[in-house]
Amino acid sequence: MIITSFRSGVTALPLPTVLLAVLAGCAGLALSPMAAMAQQKAQQKARPAAAAAAAPAAAGQGQAILLETAGKWQAFSSQQGRAKVCYALSKAESRLPANLKDVEGLLFVATRPTEGVRNEISFVLNFDLKEDVEHQAIIGTERFALVAKGQNMWLKNPAEEPRMLDSLRKGSALEIKGTSKRGNPTADKYSLAGMNQAVKRAEDACK
């Protein structure tokens, strides 16, 4: 069960893997009290969603439907039992260091209406990340702190999500500066061309 390939010919992750990665919580991260409380609430929502994503996988259900392609972005929807998931997705256009180019970085903006989650930003980098350091998202002059768990990243402060989404809408490029589990600096660059259109299409599909 594979998500429709990007026009570049690179095949995206299987849907259950993608959703589990996007919806999984950041348990055990060292956050500020306010951020920790916000993250805990997010995790409480994420756990049942992840279970819902896993069940259709076992039953052979939950196939992603491509809604639209816009620039470097694509919009998808998937029905997970009674819960519908819609998301805009893009992959990193470039990656450093060179030895990580064989695995792709993915950026999601996901909406899960049954959980009251709208336009949640997350990253699946597909290599192990250092978890006790702060990573960064850079959009023009704006910088946002990220936290990592395994191969995934989220905003350190979930309250910044609307501001980051606004910066993504207005920007032309996004850079993710991270640190691998081995301590090596990494950099992924994403194009924001088509992002507004793809996110709106995903939003409309999950109203």
Side-chain angles (χ1 to χ4, degrees):
M1 183 166 59
I2 302 294
I3 293 175
T4 303
S5 299
F6 286 86
R7 288 185 293 178
S8 64
V10 178
T11 304
L13 293 176
L15 175 64
T17 303
V18 168
L19 289 178
L20 286 169
V22 172
L23 301 176
C26 302
L29 295 171
L31 306 178
S32 66
M34 182 178 71
M37 290 177 65
Q39 188 63 62
Q40 185 176 14
K41 290 179 181 179
Q43 290 166 12
Q44 289 170 352
K45 291 182 178 180
R47 289 186 187 112
Q61 301 173 1
Q63 177 68 46
I65 298 172
L66 175 63
L67 302 172
E68 185 171 348
T69 298
K72 302 295 184 178
W73 287 72
Q74 291 183 318
F76 293 90
S77 69
S78 177
Q79 194 76 30
Q80 309 290 335
R82 294 183 179 180
K84 191 174 185 180
V85 180
C86 305
Y87 54 95
L89 167 66
S90 187
K91 73 180 185 71
E93 289 197 300
S94 66
R95 166 167 278 184
L96 292 174
N99 66 313
L100 293 175
K101 288 182 178 179
D102 290 339
V103 290
E104 59 188 8
L106 300 170
L107 163 58
F108 296 85
V109 182
T111 293
R112 304 189 297 279
T114 57
E115 301 166 43
V117 174
R118 194 165 188 82
N119 292 332
E120 178 184 71
I121 301 166
S122 60
F123 302 86
V124 180
L125 273 66
N126 286 308
F127 63 85
D128 292 333
L129 294 155
K130 196 171 181 63
E131 298 181 6
D132 57 351
V133 299
E134 189 175 281
H135 309 270
Q136 280 197 331
I138 303 170
I139 310 163
T141 59
E142 296 276 356
R143 291 175 179 262
F144 299 87
L146 304 174
V147 289
K149 182 70 176 177
Q151 300 185 351
N152 311 314
M153 283 184 181
W154 296 264
L155 276 166
K156 182 175 183 179
N157 181 3
E160 287 192 324
E161 210 150 46
R163 185 169 71 88
M164 183 172 179
L165 186 63
D166 185 59
S167 295
L168 289 170
R169 292 183 190 278
K170 295 176 180 177
S172 60
L174 162 69
E175 182 175 12
I176 301 299
K177 289 192 172 182
T179 304
S180 72
K181 188 175 182 179
R182 295 180 178 182
N184 299 318
T186 67
D188 282 8
K189 292 185 178 180
Y190 296 83
S191 169
L192 299 179
M195 181 263 185
N196 285 334
Q197 188 173 335
V199 169
K200 185 179 187 306
R201 185 67 182 86
E203 283 181 309
D204 291 344
C206 265
K207 282 185 176 178

